[in-house]
Amino acid sequence: MKSVLVLYYSRGGHTAKISRAIAEHIENGGNTCAVMHISEAMKEGLDWSKYDSVALGACVMYGTYDKSVFEFTTKHQAALSEKPSSFYSVNVVARKPEKRVPENNKYLQKFIELSPWKPKDVKVIAGKVDYPSWRWWDRLAIQLIMKMTDGPTDPKTVIDYTDWDDVKVYADHIVSLAD
Ligand SMILES: Cc1cc2nc3c(=O)[nH]c(=O)nc-3n(C[C@H](O)[C@H](O)[C@H](O)COP(=O)(O)O)c2cc1C
């Protein structure tokens, strides 16, 4: 039985949902999985020795990640590098299959560039467009990104682009990193 830690940064809740789905699938496979927002992990501290592998996920906001993500990977660079570990980036540009290839996803590349922890294993996951729940200025900005990339611009649009079966495959992969 393996013990996995899933850490995430989520602003609107979708990356949290993906992270919980990863944890649920891992537990259904007979392993254990703790799932935690990085702000909670920062506050409460972590006993890294309890885990065989670690995954850290974060959503893309305006081309980058919340600064707390980099604060976390800076503080815990050693622990993350010593463990079998993986990073997953959640963004809506990844609704296009070719943008789910890590080398073709500029946000994934941006993470590798900016984070002192250089994950050996990476994953790009398509996120959710949820215009009605976003602040008007955020909605306008994303509508502009979507207009430029042939995505939905109707302000009523709510589309979950996540491939939930692939999330399960990724969950199994995180467990296998610990072998
Ligand atoms: C303010 C804001 C900025 C965003 N910027 C980008 C972006 O630059 N590129 C992109 O592909 N997706 C962008 N997104 C889409 C989010 O990455 C996507 O909605 C993700 O599912 C959000 O995850 P969360 O609910 O965990 O916060 C943005 C979303 C918001 C609300």
Side-chain angles (χ1 to χ4, degrees), residues 31-68:
N31 298 288
T32 62
C33 187
V35 57
M36 227 182 274
H37 196 288
I38 57 169
S39 62
E40 189 191 341
M42 281 286 218
K43 234 181 275 155
E44 301 194 355
L46 282 170
D47 179 358
W48 295 91
S49 68
K50 286 186 355 200
Y51 307 106
D52 301 308
S53 64
V54 181
L56 192 159
C59 57
V60 170
M61 295 282 142
Y62 292 122
T64 188
Y65 303 86
D66 190 79
K67 69 176 185 344
S68 65

Side-chain angles (χ1 to χ4, degrees), residues 14-143:
H14 194 70
T15 310
K17 189 175 169 186
I18 292 169
S19 306
R20 286 194 299 269
I22 291 171
E24 194 183 316
H25 187 71
I26 290 174
E27 299 233 318
N28 287 344
N31 298 288
T32 62
C33 187
V35 57
M36 227 182 274
H37 196 288
I38 57 169
S39 62
E40 189 191 341
M42 281 286 218
K43 234 181 275 155
E44 301 194 355
L46 282 170
D47 179 358
W48 295 91
S49 68
K50 286 186 355 200
Y51 307 106
D52 301 308
S53 64
V54 181
L56 192 159
C59 57
V60 170
M61 295 282 142
Y62 292 122
T64 188
Y65 303 86
D66 190 79
K67 69 176 185 344
S68 65
V69 176
F70 297 114
E71 283 164 9
F72 186 88
T73 61
T74 301
K75 185 165 179 215
H76 297 290
Q77 180 187 356
L80 286 163
S81 304
E82 279 158 24
K83 293 260 166 215
S85 57
S86 181
F87 172 75
Y88 55 101
S89 172
V90 177
N91 56 82
V92 290
V93 160
R95 72 188 183 283
K96 297 185 174 180
E98 70 273 18
K99 299 290 183 193
R100 293 202 282 275
V101 176
E103 291 73 20
N104 294 343
N105 189 284
K106 59 184 176 186
Y107 307 126
L108 197 276
Q109 297 308 318
K110 180 131 197 175
F111 180 83
I112 293 169
E113 184 194 320
L114 296 180
S115 166
W117 164 54
K118 309 290 179 200
K120 290 193 193 83
D121 190 86
V122 290
K123 174 82 178 165
V124 180
I125 299 177
K128 184 178 180 183
V129 168
D130 191 353
Y131 289 132
S133 82
W134 293 343
R135 297 174 297 193
W136 68 265
W137 58 91
D138 289 333
R139 188 164 63 234
L140 273 183
I142 308 307
Q143 280 172 309

